[in-house]
Amino acid sequence: MFVRLLSLLSMMCFSISALATELEVLHWWTSGGETRSAQLLKSMMEEQGFSWKDFAVAGGGGESAMLVLKARAVSGNPPTAAQIKGHDIQEWAKLGFLTNLDGVAQQDQWDALLPDLVSDLMKYQGKYVAVPVNIHRANWLWANPAIFHKVGVDYPSTLDEFFVAADAIKAAGYLPLAHGSESWQDVTLFESVALAVLGKEKYRKAFVDLDMDTLSGEQMVAVFRYFQKFRDYIDPEAEGREWFVSTSMVGNGEAAMQLMGDWAKGEFTATGKVAGKDYVCLPAPGTGGIFSYNIDSFVFFKSPDGIQKEAQEALAQSIMAKPFQKEFNAAKGSLPVRTDIPLDSFDRCSKSSVSAYKQAHNHDNLVPSLSQSMATTTYVLSAISDVVTNFFHDPFSDPEKAADRLARAVKAAL
Ligand code: GAL
């Protein structure tokens, strides 16, 4: 009897200590470049004696990952950590699910190391409840230089120039734009067009302030009109294509351009493509000077008796540590969140991104990415996504009606 009790106790201790050192981490980094980047974090944690249970849910933009996470959290079994960002951080914190990270944040001086834009997003009621990973820029155009050279057109810097170049590329028998069919990809394209047409003030009014007149106004009609034109440059096989497949099409010369955030650069890097030679990075047409930011971050779920707090804090500290910030972001295509990481070894696109960030910061040109949950809540974003995607996939869609629908959908989601 006594022996059985002892072995039961030792099994319990074993499973408690196993739980204390286990990190189950939910994320949606499943493409080639993303997996390579996530692997760096896994190795760093394993080197410190933690066991990494990878909870990867495929699907760029994280929509599927968020659904899975909600189901796990509601059933009382959330993972140790999860990739959550933007407005979702506040939502989960409000519900009382998240571990307070203020202890490590103060010890490691996160306030001094992070730009306010980043630290503000990581806090709930003044306390850190998330750790930031990187700063991505969403409004990029990726282009294949060989195709532009063969066709003899210039890289576009405005929307009108885009259509001129795309027409010439199409006439020469190349696919102008690699695109996929997931709604977040449509919203990524829509957001760049909206930034170009509306400019930063009206963009903020529409998607941050959710101003009804701006959402339904004449300029929004113009946004939909331009957006609609992009359909002419996409192939029928776009249906069901994932974003990173589009990226590889640009890298391999199967398509001339892709409008996508700089996680695309992680894909180029992972397949040995070189910036400036195999691909070029330019601001999305009409958005030069503006930096639409997307900040990845992780949150940590409260565990029974705080048993996982130590492991969670170790993960948070590793994410903020210099070696991780440097290596991970060079692989991922993003910028480090810390302002004290030298970027000499980063490629020319990262260097151009950091100078774009600084200039945008100085001229009040930083805007939150709509498609990446930085501008508004998930509810509003999903209402906007429905309108945008339905419009883009309906050959008979009407820009006037779309702007009206957009405003009504947002109103209903508030
Ligand atoms: C974004 C995420 C990026 C990127 C992309 C595609 O939501 O912030 O890090 O990987 O999805 O999966």
Side-chain angles (χ1 to χ4, degrees):
M1 175 72 185
F2 179 66
V3 177
R4 252 204 282 152
L5 195 67
L6 260 185
S7 78
L8 196 66
L9 269 175
S10 72
M11 265 167 65
M12 276 171 63
C13 290
F14 175 75
S15 58
I16 286 172
S17 64
L19 194 63
T21 53
E22 179 185 282
L23 288 163
E24 188 186 20
V25 185
L26 176 133
H27 61 91
W28 62 88
W29 288 330
T30 52
S31 73
E34 291 173 331
T35 307
R36 193 167 155 256
S37 313
Q39 186 67 34
L40 288 168
L41 186 56
K42 178 177 184 245
S43 311
M44 278 182 193
M45 297 319 292
E46 285 175 346
E47 271 161 30
Q48 292 174 53
F50 294 97
S51 72
W52 179 281
K53 202 168 156 197
D54 204 42
F55 186 2
V57 182
E63 219 174 302
S64 312
M66 289 305 99
L67 286 176
V68 176
L69 177 63
K70 275 177 200 151
R72 281 277 304 261
V74 165
S75 62
N77 182 28
T80 324
Q83 185 189 355
I84 286 186
K85 57 182 181 165
H87 285 257
D88 277 351
I89 297 174
Q90 309 296 314
E91 300 289 332
W92 284 99
K94 216 183 287 169
L95 293 170
F97 276 105
L98 306 187
T99 302
N100 181 343
L101 298 173
D102 247 22
V104 275
Q106 272 176 27
Q107 186 188 318
D108 295 347
Q109 304 191 317
W110 291 5
D111 272 344
L113 293 172
L114 297 170
D116 289 350
L117 174 85
V118 177
S119 55
D120 287 351
L121 272 171
M122 303 300 129
K123 291 178 184 175
Y124 176 68
Q125 296 184 335
K127 306 253 184 286
Y128 279 94
V129 289
V131 61
V133 178
N134 57 10
I135 304 177
H136 271 300
R137 185 186 191 187
N139 56 320
W140 281 112
L141 176 76
W142 307 94
N144 179 295
I147 296 183
F148 273 80
H149 187 71
K150 276 187 217 147
V151 178
V153 277
D154 292 333
Y155 296 120
S157 62
T158 64
L159 283 179
D160 291 333
E161 284 175 18
F162 175 89
F163 298 124
V164 170
D167 282 333
I169 289 165
K170 198 173 166 182
Y174 296 98
L175 176 66
L177 190 66
H179 189 67
S181 63
E182 293 159 309
S183 58
W184 73 271
Q185 295 188 50
D186 295 335
V187 183
T188 303
L189 177 56
F190 174 81
E191 137 177 5
S192 282
V193 176
L195 264 176
V197 176
L198 301 175
K200 62 171 179 185
E201 302 290 0
K202 286 246 167 81
Y203 172 94
R204 288 182 184 133
K205 250 185 141 185
F207 304 118
V208 180
D209 304 342
L210 307 175
D211 176 73
M212 291 299 142
D213 292 341
T214 314
L215 285 165
S216 63
E218 260 316 298
Q219 269 188 289
M220 194 59 80
V221 176
V223 171
F224 278 103
R225 208 167 278 133
Y226 272 107
F227 180 49
Q228 195 171 40
K229 279 174 71 119
F230 276 84
R231 284 203 301 238
D232 299 344
Y233 306 104
I234 293 170
D235 58 330
E237 283 77 45
E239 203 54 46
R241 183 183 292 143
E242 295 192 79
W243 66 272
F244 51 87
V245 177
S246 301
T247 308
S248 72
M249 288 170 72
V250 174
N252 297 336
E254 293 165 53
M257 297 177 274
Q258 182 188 19
L259 277 150
M260 185 50 64
D262 45 19
W263 40 97
K265 193 160 73 70
E267 296 308 300
F268 288 129
T269 310
T271 50
K273 304 280 181 211
V274 178
K277 178 173 156 274
D278 302 310
Y279 67 95
V280 291
C281 49
L282 305 149
T287 72
I290 296 177
F291 191 110
S292 172
Y293 62 83
N294 168 30
I295 296 164
D296 282 314
S297 46
F298 280 93
V299 298
F300 304 89
F301 285 87
K302 285 180 185 159
S303 54
D305 302 326
I307 193 170
Q308 289 188 310
K309 191 147 196 244
E310 209 181 305
Q312 294 173 325
E313 290 183 342
L315 178 55
Q317 286 185 297
S318 300
I319 288 174
M320 274 293 288
K322 272 186 170 180
F324 172 79
Q325 282 290 319
K326 193 170 166 205
E327 273 184 64
F328 177 90
N329 287 306
K332 184 75 170 62
S334 39
L335 299 175
V337 277
R338 290 173 64 134
T339 46
D340 60 348
I341 311 281
L343 295 186
D344 332 339
S345 58
F346 280 55
D347 65 24
R348 61 162 83 186
C349 291
S350 297
K351 286 180 182 146
S352 130
S353 187
V354 80
S355 79
Y357 179 89
K358 284 182 186 153
Q359 282 196 28
H361 177 264
N362 294 340
H363 295 94
D364 183 31
N365 278 342
L366 288 167
V367 298
S369 164
L370 171 67
S371 59
Q372 296 302 321
S373 311
M374 298 288 128
T376 186
T377 63
T378 316
Y379 319 109
V380 173
L381 174 56
S382 100
I384 294 176
S385 300
D386 284 349
V387 175
V388 167
T389 284
N390 289 337
F391 173 85
F392 201 61
H393 294 269
D394 172 3
F396 305 107
S397 50
D398 173 352
E400 304 247 352
K401 284 193 188 137
D404 186 53
R405 274 197 195 121
L406 184 70
R408 281 191 288 117
V410 168
K411 199 167 179 189
L414 288 175

